[in-house]
């Protein structure tokens, strides 16, 4: 459960990175002076559930408090719901730049039944929440969407409104990953950790290439990462195209360009390391090896290759400069 909670945190973080990296955002790099607790709207009329959730989140008296409503789910996630079912809640403190991200989920009273640890962390990364202390909880079993919308609502409460096109793109990604995972859940050679790692590595590679790739080029990158993670002959063409489409959608939002690219690459590297250290991924790697597949660590290999290429370039540049000096 600890490994799954950590990876759940992983996916939320990664998706939020893409949501908050757009240059026109009002999101700043300054730390907040207080935490923000955002309760699901159903708790507004249920004091017992609210008190339990308050204790699970560790809400303080000086927290800024808001409620995430069905209207917010429509606004940020393009989902339809009703206030009386929104019970998952979140407490978040944005920290100073460079402090890093911690995300914990307390499921001691209620389980998050739809969104996984990786799903939440991917969402946070997509929204570029890279320096924050985040806690998610519910007093009874829930699907978990109101907690995700609660993150966006927290930034709005702090006067840092979030780009809705980005949050909806993030939700499209979440839905796609969830659906692909469900479709392949019992298939030999598949794990959600392999899928999430492949997607994270694809995003990092697209950012490294400048974030202005054609759909064909994106598909080539995605296919390579899927193969590297042992998912060739596991995912079908339609599922691969779905991944290509939501990554292309993110690219059109300007997520993989400029200073955003470095955030994507750094966060993807950290996220991939979390996945690699999980027992579930290690088990998947062992099963893949037994099936004759070797899961590759694309990000590390790319780093070594980049250094090699740079060394070769420097070598030939030095030779060129030497002969120029002789001729001069």
């Amino acid at each position: 459960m600890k490994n799954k909670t950590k990876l759940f945190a992983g996916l939320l973080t990664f998706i939020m990175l893409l949501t908050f990296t757009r240059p026109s955002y009002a999101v700043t790099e300054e730390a907040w002076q207080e935490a923000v607790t955002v309760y699901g709207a159903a708790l507004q009329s249920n004091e017992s559930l609210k008190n339990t959730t308050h204790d699970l989140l560790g809400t303080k008296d000086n927290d800024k408090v808001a409620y995430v409503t069905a209207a917010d789910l429509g606004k940020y996630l393009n989902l339809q719901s009703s206030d009386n079912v929104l019970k998952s809640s979140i407490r978040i403190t944005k920290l100073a730049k460079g402090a890093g991200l911690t995300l914990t989920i307390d499921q001691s009273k209620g389980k998050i039944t739809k969104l996984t640890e990786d799903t939440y962390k991917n969402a946070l990364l997509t929204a570029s929440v890279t320096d924050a202390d985040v806690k998610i909880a519910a007093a009874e079993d829930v699907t978990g969407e109101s907690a995700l919308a609660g993150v966006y609502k927290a930034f709005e409460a702090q006067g840092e409104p979030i780009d809705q096109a980005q949050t909806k793109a993030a939700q499209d990604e979440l839905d796609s990953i969830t659906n692909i995972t469900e479709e392949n859940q019992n298939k030999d050679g598949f794990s959600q950790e392999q899928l999430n790692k492949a997607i994270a590595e694809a995003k990092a590679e697209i950012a490294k290439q400048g974030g202005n790739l054609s759909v064909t080029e994106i598909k080539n990158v995605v296919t390579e990462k899927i193969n590297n993670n042992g998912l060739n002959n596991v995912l079908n063409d339609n599922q691969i195209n779905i991944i290509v489409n939501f990554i292309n959608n993110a690219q059109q939002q300007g997520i993989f360009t400029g200073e955003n690219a470095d955030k994507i690459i750094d966060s993807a590297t950290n996220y991939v390391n979390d996945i690699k250290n999980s027992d579930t991924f290690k088990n998947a790697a062992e099963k893949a090896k037994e099936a004759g597949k070797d899961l590759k660590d694309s990000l590390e290999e790319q780093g070594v290759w980049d250094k090699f290429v740079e060394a070769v370039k420097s070598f030939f540049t030095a030779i060129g400069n030497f002969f120029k000096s002789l001729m001069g």
Side-chain angles (χ1 to χ4, degrees):
M1 178 61 70
K2 288 183 178 179
N3 281 325
K4 284 190 172 295
T5 300
K6 185 176 181 182
L7 291 173
F8 191 19
L11 197 59
L12 181 58
T13 310
F14 199 68
I15 293 239
M16 302 284 290
L17 177 58
L18 295 180
T19 306
F20 290 140
T21 47
R22 197 168 182 173
S24 60
Y25 288 5
V27 176
T28 69
E29 293 181 346
E30 296 176 1
W32 293 343
Q33 296 303 309
E34 73 253 318
V36 180
T37 293
V38 182
Y39 295 111
L43 276 59
Q44 207 160 7
S45 58
N46 190 321
E47 200 65 24
S48 176
L49 285 182
K50 180 180 176 182
N51 289 338
T52 300
T53 305
H54 172 283
D55 294 341
L56 291 172
L57 292 174
T59 299
K60 306 298 183 185
D61 291 341
N62 63 337
D63 279 12
K64 184 174 287 188
V65 174
Y67 292 86
V68 61
T69 66
D72 293 319
L73 263 69
K75 175 180 177 181
Y76 291 122
L77 309 182
N78 202 29
L79 295 177
Q80 292 184 339
S81 187
S82 57
D83 288 352
N84 65 341
V85 300
L86 303 181
K87 298 172 183 177
S88 60
S89 305
I90 192 164
R91 184 175 188 263
I92 178 170
T93 306
K94 193 173 75 165
L95 308 175
K97 182 179 179 181
L101 174 72
T102 57
L103 191 149
T104 57
I105 304 166
D106 191 324
Q107 300 192 73
S108 60
K109 296 293 184 181
K111 304 299 182 186
I112 306 294
T113 62
K114 182 178 180 180
L115 303 183
T116 67
E117 298 164 14
D118 280 339
T119 307
Y120 273 130
K121 192 168 185 181
N122 215 346
L124 280 172
L125 285 175
T126 303
S128 195
V129 179
T130 55
D131 301 295
D133 182 20
V134 182
K135 189 165 187 178
I136 297 170
E140 56 186 40
D141 292 355
V142 291
T143 56
E145 285 98 338
S146 59
L148 178 56
V151 175
Y152 306 136
K153 188 69 177 278
F155 277 82
E156 183 178 293
Q158 291 291 68
E160 301 180 25
I162 308 306
D163 188 303
Q164 292 173 36
Q166 296 281 37
T167 62
K168 289 175 181 177
Q171 182 61 29
D172 178 44
E173 179 175 338
L174 287 178
D175 288 341
S176 298
I177 292 173
T178 300
N179 291 339
I180 292 172
T181 298
E182 290 176 352
E183 291 168 3
N184 292 279
Q185 195 64 62
N186 299 314
K187 187 179 291 187
D188 288 341
F190 176 85
S191 73
Q192 188 177 17
E193 287 72 26
Q194 290 166 271
L195 176 63
N196 290 325
K197 181 171 174 285
I199 291 171
E201 289 172 344
K203 291 176 181 175
E205 178 60 24
I206 290 164
K208 289 181 71 173
Q209 293 189 27
N212 189 29
L213 279 64
S214 68
V215 173
T216 299
E217 290 169 330
I218 291 174
K219 186 168 185 176
N220 289 340
V221 171
V222 168
T223 301
E224 177 189 359
K225 304 310 175 188
I226 286 172
N227 293 345
N228 286 349
N229 284 280
L231 295 175
N232 49 312
N233 301 322
V234 177
L235 300 189
N236 59 43
D237 289 342
N238 181 58
Q239 291 164 346
I240 292 172
N241 287 333
I242 288 171
I243 295 170
V244 171
N245 288 340
F246 70 64
I247 290 179
N248 183 49
N249 186 21
Q251 178 180 255
Q252 290 174 351
Q253 303 299 324
I255 288 166
F256 303 119
T257 58
E259 62 182 21
N260 302 333
D262 291 334
K263 291 183 179 180
I264 291 289
I265 294 167
D266 291 343
S267 298
T269 301
N270 293 334
Y271 178 42
V272 166
N273 286 336
D274 284 344
I275 294 176
K276 284 164 45 187
N277 291 328
S278 70
D279 290 339
T280 46
F281 181 78
K282 290 176 182 177
N283 291 337
E286 282 299 318
K287 290 180 180 178
K289 192 172 183 179
E290 292 172 3
K293 296 180 179 179
D294 185 19
L295 306 193
K296 299 178 181 179
D297 190 352
S298 299
L299 292 182
E300 281 189 7
E301 290 171 1
Q302 288 166 3
V304 172
W305 175 252
D306 289 343
K307 290 177 182 177
F308 172 73
V309 171
E310 289 302 317
V312 171
K313 286 181 179 178
S314 297
F315 173 71
F316 283 106
T317 298
I319 292 176
N321 290 337
F322 173 73
F323 282 108
K324 283 181 181 178
S325 66
L326 291 180
M327 296 177 64

